[in-house]
Amino acid sequence: MRGNWKICLSRRGQILTTDSLIPVRPSDSWAMIRSRTLRLTPSPTMTNQANPNPRSDPNAVVFAGDGEPHTPESTIARLNTLLEEGKLSPDNYSDGGTVTELETRMAEELGKEAAIWMPTGTMANIIGLREHCGTNARVVLQEQSHIYQDEGDALSRLCSINAVPLAPNRPYFTDDELKETFRLSTTGRVLNPVGAVSIESPVRRQAGQITPWDEMIAVTDLCHEEEIPVHLDGARLYMMSAATRIPVKQYTALFDSVYVSSYKYFGAPFGGILAGTSDFIEGLFNDRRMFGGGIPFGYLAAGLSLAGFEGFVEKFAESFAKAEELFESLNEINGIQVRKFEHGSNIFELILDGVDADGLVKNLIGDGIVLNWPNAEWPVPLLHVNSSILRRTNEEIVAAFAESVGRS
Amino acid sequence: MRGNWKICLSRRGQILTTDSLIPVRPSDSWAMIRSRTLRLTPSPTMTNQANPNPRSDPNAVVFAGDGEPHTPESTIARLNTLLEEGKLSPDNYSDGGTVTELETRMAEELGKEAAIWMPTGTMANIIGLREHCGTNARVVLQEQSHIYQDEGDALSRLCSINAVPLAPNRPYFTDDELKETFRLSTTGRVLNPVGAVSIESPVRRQAGQITPWDEMIAVTDLCHEEEIPVHLDGARLYMMSAATRIPVKQYTALFDSVYVSSYKYFGAPFGGILAGTSDFIEGLFNDRRMFGGGIPFGYLAAGLSLAGFEGFVEKFAESFAKAEELFESLNEINGIQVRKFEHGSNIFELILDGVDADGLVKNLIGDGIVLNWPNAEWPVPLLHVNSSILRRTNEEIVAAFAESVGRS
């Protein structure tokens, strides 16, 4: 078995995510395998104080990540501003103060009665699904979801919940597939009803592709008919909403509970929000503590998140519209094509024809335009849209691409 | 059952920990009970930017908490200093940068091969014990321990581990008690050996009382003989070491793994360290992520913790010696007596004779000396020693007590 695994290793340092596929050899020790997997997760867009990289240039356009890159300098500058403005009020083990302010605000923004701040999205998803399930044993989700692939099987190992994966290697499942799964769970020798359904959208492992709106309605309608709670892992919900022009609250209205990240693009160093009915959320602070997530003082992270939310929706919409115009212009350059997914969010494929990818990335960095190095996560390079695109005119960006393509 | 419970509610606002006992009535809803229990945990010594309290006075002597009180102002000032000194290097999901620096430093300080940073002590304890147990089902611990009383039965609910409590209402168990527990676990109809032993020392619920040194040797020796891993929940290990004058490394050498807090007295907003052999620690970052503790950027908290560690041992030793002298002088005042526990750490009982406790606390606050309000956690008021005692001379503190006692 071990011989068939593929492990991705990074190559060129900080601005890499992952790189070439390296098979695990039967002779490899578990320690070697584990130490390799440590490096697998793409870093959020934070850059190092000691070793600044192109992303930390405040004028760079960074086609990587969902938010603007932050540095220790920029993060602490924002904290100083929040302090001056009197916007930091300490919590007591994640209760009260700025943490409660963030919860109240995000519940409102997500159109839910209540919300609870969690230190990570993993904890938000797991605690939410665990609460939905009660004594039911099955959660249905995408095989490509973060919960199924990247959370260490916490559902089964910590919660005695069986994660049932649908839609292998695809971004979403259909209502027909879900219906069949419901049927199987209630026709075995032991009645074993599904306790919750989880939909991740956009899907990180599928280059930000989403569950299309009509399918989302069909799937959530089915859940409501069957009275099975349905959860949205909407870590990047705001990216999906910007791409589809469907307001966030229209999405969240379909779901019993929603998780959104507060560090991927709102500028907090960590944290996320789980929102739902008051009945659902009330008491989850106990579960948060049981999981080891009762952060003694979360107000700094919560304050950064609240500040990052201000004006975010408008700014991201502007960025996305600008990107769409930009990509039309880029497609007039010979040798490159920016391809939009049929059901995508803020991530686009960069198709190269006769252009060396490594050379292109290197040349663009020289012009203050940062792309992820080509890597094994996806067959072609990907362009992520975030608000750093507003730092330069489209004309400048197009000129830089044209010039870099010419040299690559 | 519910009618017999006692729930502590706070009374006077921020500088309170908990207060009078209020029985739960059978008519109380679970929601009411749960919302009350939310407020139970004594706050670390952080004070509010919007509503400053006596603790935030930088000249106050605060006989509460294990570390010096912090405010948003003081915390961000320290971050500014760390930034100027180039001491903040971002991590990638709690891997690398300042987080790794903290882990390396604390492993060394604790005399262990390796260490891993965890967002909370709860997570450090649970993940450590889970790793020790493997497929064994029992952890032996104190009935009064944080793990048994204050972590939501995470061992059983998340890890399928049976927590076996010893020494009800006492600070520690003996090697004889432990031996009997080992015997019972291996003589039932199913062989069910103990997977790990945990010792909390000092014990928070027992006013910081500790397992005496000789007993600690006897208990850990027994564990080593039986080849059962033994874990130290040493959240306040440095308080114990200051009180007994036994160096930290002498304690940690007795244990297979150790948890120490990095927010209770090192000045971080959250976090703790789990240390042990390289084999034990290696790979636990996966478990940390599975539990939802893979904090995307922990370097700010880690940096504050590292800075807070500098000179801490010396400063706390000085504070403790000063407190011992102070308490001798206080005991010459009629009506008050500071009582030392036979096996205590940095917490002392304040026995009042004909002096009104509420009045005394109120009068002392006027003199810049802060005590916890009398509360139901312990039969008599408690004095916690921390380094804020260095802010005033003992003569000044004695004079303030004498004057306040006279008016109470």
Side-chain angles (χ1 to χ4, degrees), chain A residues 46-324:
Chain A
M46 171 71 76
T47 61
N48 196 303
Q49 185 185 14
N51 305 301
N53 74 32
R55 288 189 187 189
S56 62
D57 174 355
N59 298 315
V61 173
V62 183
F63 287 107
D66 303 304
E68 294 188 24
H70 296 291
T71 59
E73 289 81 357
S74 68
T75 302
I76 292 174
R78 285 180 294 137
L79 285 173
N80 281 315
T81 304
L82 290 172
L83 184 67
E84 279 162 30
E85 293 171 349
K87 287 183 175 164
L88 294 174
S89 174
D91 51 304
N92 179 8
Y93 289 94
S94 308
D95 172 47
T98 310
V99 172
T100 298
E101 270 176 62
L102 175 65
E103 291 170 342
T104 305
R105 171 70 184 271
M106 291 310 295
E108 201 181 296
E109 294 290 341
L110 296 169
K112 296 294 179 194
E113 288 175 1
I116 182 169
W117 181 72
M118 294 280 178
T120 64
T122 295
M123 198 179 289
N125 283 325
I126 299 300
I127 286 181
L129 291 170
R130 182 178 181 277
E131 180 72 8
H132 281 312
C133 277
T135 57
N136 289 326
R138 288 188 178 177
V139 164
V140 182
L141 38 57
Q142 296 122 301
E143 181 266 354
Q144 286 286 289
S145 63
H146 192 273
I147 301 175
Y148 192 70
Q149 298 285 355
D150 301 297
E151 299 185 1
D153 285 350
L155 282 178
S156 69
R157 292 164 80 195
L158 301 182
C159 309
S160 303
I161 288 172
N162 182 12
V164 180
L166 300 186
N169 269 316
R170 287 157 37 207
Y172 62 92
F173 51 79
T174 66
D175 59 332
D176 282 343
E177 290 171 297
L178 186 59
K179 203 174 288 177
E180 174 63 5
T181 309
F182 287 170
R183 191 188 67 76
L184 285 169
S185 77
T186 50
T187 51
R189 288 291 284 272
V190 175
L191 183 71
N192 191 19
V194 169
V197 172
S198 175
I199 296 178
E200 178 179 332
S201 191
V203 181
R204 187 186 73 79
R205 281 180 172 259
Q206 288 287 313
Q209 291 179 86
I210 66 174
T211 298
W213 177 244
D214 289 347
E215 198 61 65
M216 209 172 253
I217 290 177
V219 164
T220 53
D221 274 355
L222 175 61
C223 292
H224 302 322
E225 276 163 34
E226 300 285 340
E227 296 184 354
I228 294 172
V230 56
H231 170 78
L232 175 62
D233 176 353
R236 297 168 180 82
L237 168 58
Y238 284 85
M239 279 78 247
M240 174 164 69
S241 171
T244 61
R245 269 82 169 173
I246 296 170
V248 159
K249 281 186 187 172
Q250 251 173 274
Y251 278 113
T252 58
L254 303 178
F255 292 87
D256 296 289
S257 60
V258 182
Y259 151 64
V260 292
S261 172
S262 52
Y263 77 88
K264 291 184 194 300
Y265 40 94
F266 294 152
F270 63 94
I273 288 290
L274 176 65
T277 64
S278 299
D279 266 2
F280 178 74
I281 296 297
E282 190 252 317
L284 289 186
F285 62 88
N286 287 305
D287 301 83
R288 183 178 61 190
R289 181 165 286 187
M290 177 176 66
F291 271 81
I295 297 286
F297 296 112
Y299 72 102
L300 298 175
L304 288 168
S305 180
L306 260 174
F309 188 78
E310 286 308 323
F312 179 85
V313 172
E314 297 73 19
K315 194 172 179 183
F316 201 85
E318 185 188 346
S319 308
F320 197 84
K322 184 163 186 279
E324 288 182 318

Side-chain angles (χ1 to χ4, degrees), chain B residues 293-406:
Chain B
I295 297 285
F297 296 112
Y299 72 102
L300 298 175
L304 288 168
S305 181
L306 260 174
F309 187 79
E310 285 309 323
F312 180 85
V313 172
E314 297 73 18
K315 194 172 179 185
F316 202 85
E318 185 188 347
S319 308
F320 197 84
K322 184 163 186 279
E324 289 182 316
E325 280 181 25
L326 172 70
F327 296 158
E328 277 185 31
S329 304
L330 289 184
N331 285 345
E332 289 167 17
I333 300 172
N334 274 339
I336 64 173
Q337 190 209 342
V338 181
R339 195 160 66 186
K340 188 177 174 168
F341 288 103
E342 188 184 353
H343 302 292
S345 56
N346 65 323
I347 304 179
F348 295 77
E349 293 184 313
L350 179 62
I351 313 295
L352 301 176
D353 182 11
V355 177
D356 173 57
D358 279 3
L360 176 65
V361 172
K362 193 179 156 202
N363 291 335
L364 282 169
I365 285 176
D367 276 333
I369 293 175
V370 184
L371 275 61
N372 279 327
W373 291 99
N375 61 66
E377 285 218 322
W378 199 253
V380 300
L382 296 172
L383 296 176
H384 298 236
V385 174
N386 58 52
S387 53
S388 71
I389 200 173
L390 301 177
R391 295 167 174 176
R392 308 264 291 271
T393 66
N394 276 355
E395 289 66 34
E396 287 174 314
I397 302 171
V398 170
F401 266 87
E403 200 264 346
S404 290
V405 165

Side-chain angles (χ1 to χ4, degrees), chain A residues 41 49 88 93 263 289 292, chain B residues 41 49 88 93 120 263 289 292:
Chain A
T41 308
Q49 185 185 14
L88 294 174
Y93 289 94
Y263 77 88
R289 181 165 286 187
Chain B
T41 308
Q49 185 185 15
L88 294 174
Y93 289 93
T120 65
Y263 76 88
R289 180 165 286 187

